[in-house]
Amino acid sequence: MLIFSGLLCTSTWLTWNQLDFHVRSDLQHQYRSIVKTTAEQAAQTAKPLIQSDDRLSLQVYAKESIEKRKLDSITFYSPSQEVLAYANRAGAAHITQRVTSSAEITSGSTALGSVSVVLSTEPLEKILNQTSSQIVLIALAVWVLGLILLRSLFHVYEQKVAAMAKKIQNPIATKHQAPDTRNFIELQPIATELEAFIQKNTEKNNLENSLNQLLNHQIASQISKESAPRESQIQPFHASVLYVRASGLDQLKSNLPNHEAAKLVSEYVAIVQQAAKLYNGFVEVQANGLAVIFGAPQKMNEHCLHAVCAASFLYRLLNNYNSQRIVQAKALLKFQIAIHSGDVYCFDTPEQASMAVFGDIIFEAAQLANLAKAGQILLSENARNEPDLTNKVHCKGPYNLSTSSFTCPLTYQVSSLDDNYNTLIERQVKHIASLRQPA
């Protein structure tokens, strides 16, 4: 009995170790494959941005990848290993268990650069620990069932030995007795248990495949949630677009080291985002600037007035920012701003995980911003005729402005806002400036 128990325990232990090794190896391979696929997808998405040398959009895409794909860090390199864009998750520097994968960015036979993706293995380790616990429990259950079966068989063997000894001791008395069917009756429940054990042993052979299917589902739900198909909706909105271009930004970046250029772009985006957030605007990154949409994807009654107030607030923030750059003997950042109103369409998922606003008015607002001079707020005819600006915004014009590729026959320039709005904006600027003062 002890020998059989030892053999069963050893066999169970070896089976558990082999199964645990195969499951761990398969899951680690799948995890590395997911990281590699993520790097290849990032390379394909970033390819047109690198070809157009649009580092602003590349930086924004890097930050969005950290948030949406749950990455620890992502870095885009030029062919000479110059850092084009970089973003990392807060606290990622303290993660020691990680998987890194790289992908080349090419156009035909021309190398455009590369991308490196880093993903923590903490979610994988949690799944592997849970898997090991499940396998241990299953192995213990098989071992206990085997002990029960061995004990039952040993008990039957003892009874048979006792019966044979009794017949030897009293052969005449047992000669004329009816056949003893007791052992056969007692063996029936044991045979049932043996059949169940064989069935469980057969199912155990498929345990690895079942566990792999279960764990693959867990990885897919925890790591690649954003890749699941979602039902989307496209809705029309009447909105206003505040388009902001950083005039001469490319020239400023070309004269700065990479880390200072990235910092300048981040500060430019942060100023616009601060104004957009205060007046409930939604920021869309464009090829040559930032488009702030008011009235989509959330409907807004006074969307054009919000856009004008945000533009005025934006210039005041810019003045404070440039005053600090003057003290630091750095070049000033200049904005070209224009506002246009019309119909847009919002592509939105039910979970609000991703959204995009598109329409002709964004392109027209960008063209109008090209005509603006530093410090001006230009309004298209559509924006000027919005009813929410009546008696609240004072304008000059109309003017006939045009370039070689774009003509805007009626354009207005904001000269001032109603005193109540001017006072409110001044208070907001002073409040933000006071928050930045050292304690």
Side-chain angles (χ1 to χ4, degrees):
M1 177 69 178
L2 292 176
I3 295 175
F4 282 114
S5 177
L7 290 175
L8 179 62
C9 182
T10 303
S11 176
T12 304
W13 181 80
L14 291 174
T15 302
W16 168 74
N17 273 277
Q18 184 178 10
L19 185 58
D20 185 65
F21 172 77
H22 286 301
V23 171
R24 283 178 174 270
S25 299
D26 186 56
L27 289 179
Q28 290 171 353
H29 174 73
Q30 294 180 29
Y31 201 87
R32 289 190 293 268
S33 178
I34 290 173
V35 179
K36 181 179 179 181
T37 302
T38 302
E40 292 174 350
Q41 292 175 350
Q44 290 297 324
T45 304
K47 178 179 177 180
L49 301 179
I50 295 179
Q51 286 178 323
S52 61
D53 196 22
D54 188 359
R55 297 194 182 184
L56 170 61
S57 299
L58 189 64
Q59 179 67 31
V60 174
Y61 170 71
K63 291 184 178 179
E64 289 180 349
S65 298
I66 294 297
E67 298 173 358
K68 294 183 179 181
R69 297 181 179 271
K70 308 300 181 185
L71 303 177
D72 287 304
S73 68
I74 182 171
T75 309
F76 292 94
Y77 298 96
S78 67
S80 61
Q81 294 301 306
E82 174 190 0
V83 177
L84 302 178
Y86 169 78
N88 67 331
R89 181 171 58 86
H94 303 289
I95 301 297
T96 57
Q97 298 177 342
R98 57 181 62 187
V99 177
T100 303
S101 182
S102 301
E104 297 295 328
I105 304 174
T106 60
S107 177
S109 59
T110 304
L112 302 178
S114 61
V115 57
S116 176
V117 172
V118 178
L119 184 63
S120 171
T121 59
E122 289 183 353
L124 177 63
E125 293 299 326
K126 292 180 181 178
I127 294 175
L128 290 176
N129 292 336
Q130 294 175 0
T131 304
S132 298
S133 301
Q134 293 174 359
I135 295 176
V136 169
L137 292 176
I138 293 174
L140 287 176
V142 173
W143 181 62
V144 171
L145 181 61
L147 285 179
I148 294 174
L149 179 62
L150 286 176
R151 182 68 184 90
S152 300
L153 293 175
F154 186 73
H155 178 69
V156 173
Y157 174 75
E158 286 181 335
Q159 289 181 342
K160 284 187 174 183
V161 171
M164 291 177 63
K166 187 176 180 180
K167 288 181 180 180
I168 293 173
Q169 291 175 0
N170 193 10
I172 299 175
T174 58
K175 183 176 181 180
H176 301 287
Q177 291 179 355
D180 189 5
T181 59
R182 181 189 57 187
N183 290 339
F184 175 77
I185 296 174
E186 291 178 353
L187 279 175
Q188 284 184 337
I190 298 175
T192 303
E193 291 183 8
L194 180 61
E195 183 179 357
F197 174 76
I198 294 174
Q199 183 179 0
K200 287 183 177 295
N201 190 51
T202 303
E203 293 175 356
K204 185 170 70 67
N205 293 332
N206 300 324
L207 177 62
E208 182 175 354
N209 293 334
S210 300
L211 285 175
N212 282 336
Q213 293 177 2
L214 171 64
L215 295 172
N216 288 343
H217 176 71
Q218 290 178 347
I219 289 179
S221 61
Q222 292 185 15
I223 301 176
S224 304
K225 290 182 179 178
E226 66 277 4
S227 64
R230 298 169 176 167
E231 183 180 357
S232 60
Q233 298 178 350
I234 298 180
Q235 299 179 359
F237 293 87
H238 186 70
S240 294
V241 178
L242 166 63
Y243 201 93
V244 184
R245 292 186 71 255
S247 178
L249 180 62
D250 292 337
Q251 184 177 0
L252 284 176
K253 292 192 298 181
S254 63
N255 297 326
L256 295 174
N258 290 335
H259 67 280
E260 291 188 13
K263 180 181 179 183
L264 178 63
V265 172
S266 299
E267 290 171 344
Y268 155 50
V269 175
I271 293 173
V272 178
Q273 286 180 336
Q274 190 171 18
K277 183 178 181 181
L278 183 62
Y279 289 95
N280 298 321
F282 173 73
V283 179
E284 276 276 1
V285 178
Q286 303 294 316
N288 298 317
L290 299 174
V292 186
I293 296 94
F294 298 88
Q298 299 294 329
K299 291 185 178 181
M300 187 183 301
N301 292 330
E302 297 183 334
H303 50 79
C304 195
L305 179 61
H306 278 68
V308 174
C309 291
S312 179
F313 178 74
L314 191 59
Y315 270 130
R316 288 173 169 82
L317 289 182
L318 181 64
N319 290 336
N320 290 344
Y321 174 74
N322 281 334
S323 63
Q324 299 173 7
R325 294 184 66 85
I326 292 175
V327 174
Q328 299 169 357
K330 295 181 179 180
L332 303 183
L333 189 62
K334 299 179 182 180
F335 285 169
Q336 293 174 277
I337 294 179
I339 300 173
H340 184 43
S341 299
D343 293 332
V344 297
Y345 296 90
C346 178
F347 176 82
D348 191 7
T349 61
E351 297 87 356
Q352 297 289 334
S354 62
M355 61 183 65
V357 178
F358 54 93
D360 292 338
I361 69 168
I362 299 178
F363 171 75
E364 293 173 3
Q367 294 293 330
L368 187 60
N370 290 335
L371 303 176
K373 297 180 180 179
Q376 289 183 341
I377 302 175
L378 295 186
L379 298 177
S380 68
E381 184 180 13
N382 288 359
R384 181 67 184 91
N385 293 333
E386 288 293 330
D388 53 316
L389 299 189
T390 305
N391 298 326
K392 298 175 183 177
V393 177
H394 308 288
C395 300
K396 299 177 183 179
Y399 304 103
N400 293 322
L401 302 179
S402 63
T403 63
S404 58
S405 59
F406 178 74
T407 299
C408 187
L410 293 180
T411 305
Y412 298 83
Q413 179 184 345
V414 175
S415 58
S416 63
L417 279 75
D418 183 80
D419 291 340
N420 293 331
Y421 292 100
N422 271 326
T423 302
L424 176 62
I425 293 172
E426 287 293 340
R427 289 178 179 175
Q428 292 169 342
V429 174
K430 290 180 180 179
H431 177 68
I432 291 176
S434 65
L435 295 178
R436 295 177 177 173
Q437 294 296 329

